[in-house]
Amino acid sequence: MSKPVMIAAALLAAATCLPLVAGHAAAGTASGDLVVYTSTPAKAMADLVAAFNTAEPDVAVSVFRSGTTEVMAKLAAEFAAGAPEPDVLLIADSVTMAGLKADGRLAAWPDAPVDGLAPDSHDPDNTWFGTKIIATGIVWNTAAGVPAPGGWQDLAGPAATGRVVMPSPLYSGAATIHVGTLSADEALGWSYFEALKANGASAVQGNGAVLDAVATGRAAYGVIVDFMAFNAAAKGSPVAFVYPADGVTAVTEPVAVLKTARNPEAAWAFVGWLLSDAGQRFTVAQGYMPLRADAGSPPGRPAVDAITIRTVSPEQLARTSDKTRRRFAALFGG
């Protein structure tokens, strides 16, 4: 079976298995307009909406898509005007969601279907919910004549001298979480980033720039989100990805419903579908790691429960994010 046919079959199977959403309407009965603000890439979001509509055909989904910073700036202006437009937010990181929760903007789903999900993948009060695992690990150029990395300290070793690039938290939300998490670790801390700087590591704007530098050989190693490296390798780029043995950092692309949602029934149906077995299989079909281990993994990836994920609470990361960016910029420039 060809790859497009296999993906189409997986999406169709995923879209037909939405369970009853406890406390809300039965699957397939939601209707009306649904407005989603998201930072998900445009093609991935269009595919997601199409799969959701197979399960909920009477929901008309409208999407505003931009980077998380731009999405939140637009939403902040709408809050200030007293006219927020979205029913649902689907954005990159839980740190932003924690801020919205603290501001009293998010609705709660007490009986959300979170059984089997890691406790730190969703808000304990069920106001936001992770939808996938986008891990940050190490990409390396397999043609560069350097050893495969095994852990984070390898990037500060002699084989990596002057040959490491990483995304800056000034531009990347995943990088903010990565730097904030590792710098809070007692075994690494800011001394680790100082060691990287002393070893000649450099910062670039985002994950795309990291991939370009490593794939073209301008760098041998890079810090990057997993799916970008795997996608590049599948297209023939001379790169490979390593989930460090001492643990990855990750964003979970959380979803939430605003208290001001005009169509809460459709909004919760959307959330329920993303968390369901069907939605998690769809995540795998799109090439992302799911939250539910029983949903499987994309080809060439380890099982979800085989990856060690380093975590720091979103609330702590939110409190320290400005300091993290300033200290990183002082080391690596802005």
Side-chain angles (χ1 to χ4, degrees):
M1 185 180 290
S2 68
K3 184 176 180 181
V5 173
M6 290 176 66
I7 292 176
L11 299 189
L12 179 60
T16 58
C17 302
L18 178 64
L20 177 69
V21 178
H24 299 273
T29 63
S31 62
D33 295 331
L34 180 70
V35 179
V36 180
Y37 280 17
T38 187
S39 59
T40 300
K43 176 63 166 60
M45 190 64 195
D47 290 343
L48 187 157
V49 170
F52 169 70
N53 277 148
T54 304
E56 297 285 356
D58 295 327
V59 178
V61 183
S62 299
V63 174
F64 170 75
R65 190 274 156 196
S66 190
T68 295
T69 300
E70 289 77 17
V71 168
M72 294 309 299
K74 177 175 171 63
L75 185 57
E78 292 173 359
F79 283 146
E85 288 293 324
D87 300 287
V88 172
L89 294 179
L90 178 63
I91 56 177
D93 65 88
S94 56
V95 174
T96 302
M97 289 297 196
L100 289 168
K101 177 191 175 184
D103 291 340
R105 299 292 188 180
L106 304 183
W109 184 359
D111 299 322
V114 295
D115 289 347
L117 298 180
D120 56 11
S121 71
H122 57 88
D123 170 44
D125 296 318
N126 286 358
T127 65
W128 56 261
F129 309 88
T131 62
K132 57 178 64 73
I133 297 171
I134 301 177
T136 292
I138 303 171
V139 63
W140 64 293
N141 187 307
T142 56
V146 295
W152 295 113
Q153 292 288 3
D154 292 342
L155 300 186
T161 300
R163 308 188 76 179
V164 174
V165 292
M166 70 189 87
S168 170
L170 301 179
Y171 301 96
S172 165
T176 301
I177 289 177
H178 176 71
V179 176
T181 301
L182 293 194
S183 63
D185 184 88
E186 291 183 1
L188 294 172
W190 279 105
S191 61
Y192 170 69
F193 290 96
E194 291 164 357
L196 289 181
K197 176 63 176 177
N199 203 41
S202 60
V204 294
Q205 282 197 357
N207 287 274
V210 169
L211 180 60
D212 182 68
V214 176
T216 59
R218 299 197 308 276
Y221 302 100
V223 176
I224 196 171
V225 291
D226 56 356
F227 73 91
M228 292 185 68
F230 281 103
N231 289 348
K235 294 176 181 178
S237 184
V239 298
F241 183 85
V242 171
Y243 293 94
D246 47 345
V248 301
T249 61
V251 296
T252 58
E253 197 166 270
V255 65
V257 174
L258 290 182
K259 286 182 177 178
T260 51
R262 294 183 177 89
N263 192 347
E265 179 181 310
W268 289 122
F270 185 82
V271 173
W273 184 81
L274 287 169
L275 299 180
S276 71
D277 290 339
Q280 291 294 286
R281 287 197 297 274
F282 173 80
T283 292
V284 174
Q286 281 200 308
Y288 298 107
M289 296 290 282
L291 290 173
R292 297 188 182 277
D294 56 6
S297 299
R301 314 280 187 94
V304 172
D305 51 12
I307 300 172
T308 300
I309 300 178
R310 293 170 172 264
T311 60
V312 172
S313 76
E315 292 77 14
Q316 179 178 336
L317 289 170
R319 288 194 301 269
T320 60
S321 60
D322 287 344
K323 181 179 179 181
T324 295
R325 294 186 186 99
R326 288 195 301 270
R327 189 159 180 178
F328 187 92
L331 273 174
F332 294 97

